Amino acid sequence: MTKRRYTVKRGIIINVVFMALIVVFAIISMNSGKMNLSPLEVLNVLIGNGTDKQNLIVFDFRLPRIVLSILVGLGMGAAGVVMQSLLRNDMASPGTLGISSGSGLFVLFFVVFIAPTGKSSFIALPLLAFVGGLLAAGLIFLLSYRRGRDISPIGLILTGVALGSGYGALTTFLTLKLDDSQMNFMLYWLAGSLWGDDWGYISILTPWVLILLGYIFYKARILNALHLGNQTAQGLGVSVKRQFLGLSIAAVALSSGSVAVGGSFFFVGLIAPHMARKLVGPDHKLLIPAASLAGGLVVVMADTITRTVSLVGDVPTGIVITVISVPYFLYLLAKAK
């Protein structure tokens, strides 16, 4: 059996295909929904010739949701790659490390003590989610640290699982203080509802995601070295602790900011890197954009399905992502065995 050869040309083609598929599903999504618009009507809206009703449907309802789904997928895919590479563990992700629980707990603080409405929430909610994720990550690393020893990836994951259970208990306690509307908001957030489809939230999330993505891509060579092991990276002249810290904070910021306004999509951070690595190989110069685009494709495709297929009730996008991703993930596990 010949080993698959991963080339730069192949990686570029895969990334272009991912981008093309995102555009295709974005177009389908813009033409789908309870209020159907033909492709020609959507085109007229985009060139400025649409009616008031058509402009409302496209610019106020559908386009913000499409942009949000792509941004969330990009952020989660890149965050997953960084964590799996830093910890050299294919099961690492913002969810398995307990960072999701930390961000969710602070989102719940926001819902209980402030409110997910008003202009202040555009900045406050992503920042609180980031603080929650950063505190969770810091506590995990602190409890896993042993002087004179390298941090154990398995120890980090086990610590994250344990702390995630504690955050879950606090979250359950706080939900007792929620009224019906707050409880409904949290349930949909936990299920992955893409609730923040407002241009105010998107205007905050867009630079957040793009700047951090640029930083992570800039560190692709460093990630290649760190993925080989700390001793090898040090031999190549990499300042392991400093780079590890910087990339960890970037991954936490990406995942926390993305889910704050999109909902709990941490499964995307686990599955998108696997999809990309299987197609483009381990070189982070190709893997980072491929995993990001794979995440964006998964989320926008799932959201299109929720609005195209007639389902019972208003099904959150995160549930559809789980349904379509779990079989593929089980296939990867079975093949690995």
Side-chain angles (χ1 to χ4, degrees), residues 176 219 224 322:
L176 300 176
K219 295 291 184 177
N224 282 337
T322 302

Side-chain angles (χ1 to χ4, degrees), residues 300-323:
V300 75
M301 181 173 64
D303 187 55
T304 303
I305 291 173
T306 62
R307 294 190 295 107
T308 304
V309 179
S310 180
L311 299 170
V312 179
D314 185 14
V315 179
T317 305
I319 293 177
V320 177
I321 289 175
T322 302
V323 170

Side-chain angles (χ1 to χ4, degrees), residues 227-273:
H227 191 61
L228 297 174
N230 292 346
Q231 291 184 344
T232 303
Q234 286 176 342
L236 294 172
V238 175
S239 177
V240 173
K241 290 184 178 180
R242 182 166 59 86
Q243 298 294 346
F244 191 98
L245 179 62
L247 286 164
S248 297
I249 292 174
V252 171
L254 259 181
S255 59
S256 300
S258 297
V259 301
V261 298
S264 185
F265 283 94
F266 287 96
F267 194 77
V268 177
L270 180 63
I271 198 69

Side-chain angles (χ1 to χ4, degrees), residues 1 19 104 119 128 137 155 168 184-185 196 198 221 245 250 268 275 334:
M1 187 176 185
M19 285 190 283
K119 293 184 178 179
L128 278 174
N184 187 59
F185 172 83
D198 183 285
R221 184 183 64 84
L245 179 62
V268 177
M275 295 171 59

